[in-house]
Amino acid sequence: MKILLSCSNTNSPSFNFYKDSLSKLIKENKKIKFFAKKYNNKLLEKHYDIVLFMSGTKNSNFIKRDGILYGIVDPRAGNYDDFQKYDFIIANGIEEKIFFSFSKLPTFIYPVYPSINFKREKYNRNKTIISYHGNREHLINMYPRITKAISKIASEHLIELVLIYDYKKKGKINIFKTNQNQFKISHKQYYNNCYNKYLRDTDIGIVPQIIPSKNKKIKKNFSYYFSKQLFKKKYHFSINFKETTNLGRHLVFAQLKIPTISDYTLSSSNFINNGVNGYLAHDTIDWYEGFKYLIQNKKKTKQIGSRFYLDWKKKYAHGILNKKLLKFLIRLNDK
């Protein structure tokens, strides 16, 4: 079976993460031949059994050929009406699968994340290093919900905050409006394989994913007033996150046994057993209590990090995902 992964932008982190993880398919089956190349029209002149297009490649760029299965990998909102020629979807998370479920295409969930090439052995004694890695949007959205929690815990313990993101394009951001000298903040420029260097000393990982709602107006109809009268108060809980939300950023920390606090999302709530292999948090108090517990209970914290690692290895290690993906592809190919 020949499998091709193609993309118009081979410099994107997602393409490289998928290329590295999917290349390990050959370890699961020696009959598998895997190729990852930049898209061009001549690529499909060769025969492939399965062609995987990253989301940046539109349908108009290729002509579907008989005998080849076409899959779209990690689709984005811009692909919403772009599924006519595809046979299946490889989604990076539950959120993406649900978002594109209207397509009725067979979908396999494969979180995208890089492999870590070292074992973390050093632990800090006199201070706690809290690390974030991800894009600028989630970093900005930490304010004020999570930044207040960090500032509060920093008033009680010696804290260093490490922020790993691409700051060269738009500059470093300041999300702490007060207490600037309360704790050290290190800005780290993202690059491929940077985690091997930047996360060596991390004690706690954080994965903010919630996007503040811009629409605070609630449509009030008859049922609203009836419900308000019946229950005497309004019950409402709203969480907003992107369609591309997934476990990838969690799994970077999990490989290093770094205990992690995460926002509530479908993916994180499905994987994190609160207080057992990590912590789920929403408001400032949740985040602060999570920091406080992990800092003050070193032995339990280490157990949580170890359980996080074991659960990743059992459910989401690339070898496990590839075995399941291979079965998924073989079933489709046999139809």
Side-chain angles (χ1 to χ4, degrees), residues 180-271:
Q180 289 297 298
N181 299 320
Q182 191 175 11
F183 56 94
K184 181 181 179 181
I185 302 177
S186 300
H187 298 261
K188 304 292 186 180
Q189 173 60 37
Y190 169 83
Y191 62 87
N192 287 338
N193 300 318
C194 67
Y195 306 120
N196 294 328
K197 177 180 179 180
Y198 293 154
L199 296 181
R200 289 182 180 274
D201 302 330
T202 295
D203 297 293
I204 300 174
I206 57 174
V207 186
Q209 294 181 296
I210 300 301
I211 299 175
S213 176
K214 295 181 181 179
N215 183 16
K216 296 183 179 180
K217 295 181 179 180
I218 300 175
K219 186 176 182 180
K220 298 180 179 180
N221 52 25
F222 178 77
S223 62
Y224 170 86
Y225 291 105
F226 179 77
S227 176
K228 187 176 181 181
Q229 180 63 29
L230 180 64
F231 296 107
K232 303 299 182 183
K233 64 183 294 188
K234 181 181 67 178
Y235 293 88
H236 184 72
F237 195 87
S238 178
I239 296 179
N240 300 293
F241 42 81
K242 298 190 295 183
E243 84 282 356
T244 54
T245 301
N246 66 90
L247 281 175
R249 288 189 288 144
H250 302 74
L251 303 181
V252 169
F253 292 126
Q255 292 175 83
L256 298 173
K257 301 182 181 180
I258 297 174
T260 300
I261 305 175
S262 172
D263 271 330
Y264 287 95
T265 65
L266 298 178
S267 290
S268 64
S269 300
N270 187 54
F271 180 54

Side-chain angles (χ1 to χ4, degrees), residues 53-187:
F53 284 119
M54 294 294 292
S55 57
T57 307
K58 293 288 186 178
N59 276 329
S60 57
N61 290 343
F62 72 93
I63 299 174
K64 190 170 184 179
R65 289 166 168 79
D66 293 336
I68 301 177
L69 284 175
Y70 295 86
I72 184 168
V73 182
D74 193 9
R76 304 301 170 96
N79 298 112
Y80 200 78
D81 58 351
D82 192 37
F83 291 91
Q84 300 94 321
K85 296 180 181 178
Y86 290 107
D87 300 299
F88 63 95
I89 297 172
I90 295 181
N92 66 11
I94 299 174
E95 294 82 355
E96 208 167 68
K97 179 179 180 180
I98 293 174
F99 190 80
F100 296 107
S101 61
F102 73 94
S103 69
K104 299 182 180 180
L105 292 177
T107 302
F108 182 83
I109 295 177
Y110 195 119
V112 56
Y113 68 95
S115 295
I116 303 299
N117 300 318
F118 74 97
K119 292 184 179 180
R120 175 174 167 268
E121 298 177 350
K122 184 177 179 180
Y123 294 86
N124 299 297
R125 293 184 178 181
N126 299 322
K127 67 177 179 179
T128 299
I129 296 181
I130 300 172
S131 292
Y132 163 89
H133 72 89
N135 59 40
R136 188 181 178 87
E137 181 178 5
H138 289 307
L139 186 56
I140 293 172
N141 290 337
M142 285 172 56
Y143 178 83
R145 186 170 52 93
I146 301 172
T147 55
K148 284 184 177 180
I150 295 173
S151 294
K152 185 175 181 180
I153 198 64
S155 68
E156 303 167 0
H157 298 274
L158 184 59
I159 298 295
E160 179 179 346
L161 180 64
V162 175
L163 305 176
I164 304 169
Y165 64 107
D166 183 1
Y167 66 77
K168 287 187 177 179
K169 287 185 178 180
K170 297 183 180 180
K172 298 178 182 180
I173 67 172
N174 178 16
I175 53 176
F176 291 89
K177 305 303 180 183
T178 58
N179 300 324
Q180 289 297 298
N181 299 320
Q182 191 175 11
F183 56 94
K184 181 181 179 181
I185 302 177
S186 300
H187 298 261

Side-chain angles (χ1 to χ4, degrees), residues 256-318:
L256 298 173
K257 301 182 181 180
I258 297 174
T260 300
I261 305 175
S262 172
D263 271 330
Y264 287 95
T265 65
L266 298 178
S267 290
S268 64
S269 300
N270 187 54
F271 180 54
I272 293 179
N273 186 350
N274 194 50
V276 177
N277 66 350
Y279 276 95
L280 295 167
H282 178 61
D283 59 19
T284 299
I285 295 176
D286 286 340
W287 280 90
Y288 166 74
E289 291 294 339
F291 289 134
K292 183 178 179 180
Y293 185 87
L294 291 174
I295 291 172
Q296 295 181 353
N297 297 273
K298 297 294 185 182
K299 184 177 181 180
K300 181 64 176 177
T301 295
K302 194 170 183 179
Q303 292 174 356
I304 290 173
S306 295
R307 179 62 183 270
F308 200 29
Y309 170 83
L310 291 174
D311 288 343
W312 157 77
K313 190 174 183 180
K314 180 180 179 180
K315 299 178 181 179
Y316 292 107
H318 287 140

Side-chain angles (χ1 to χ4, degrees), residues 1-4 47-51 67-70 333:
M1 181 186 291
K2 290 185 178 180
I3 301 175
L4 170 69
H47 178 72
Y48 295 96
D49 299 293
I50 296 173
V51 176
I68 301 177
L69 284 175
Y70 295 86
N333 202 34

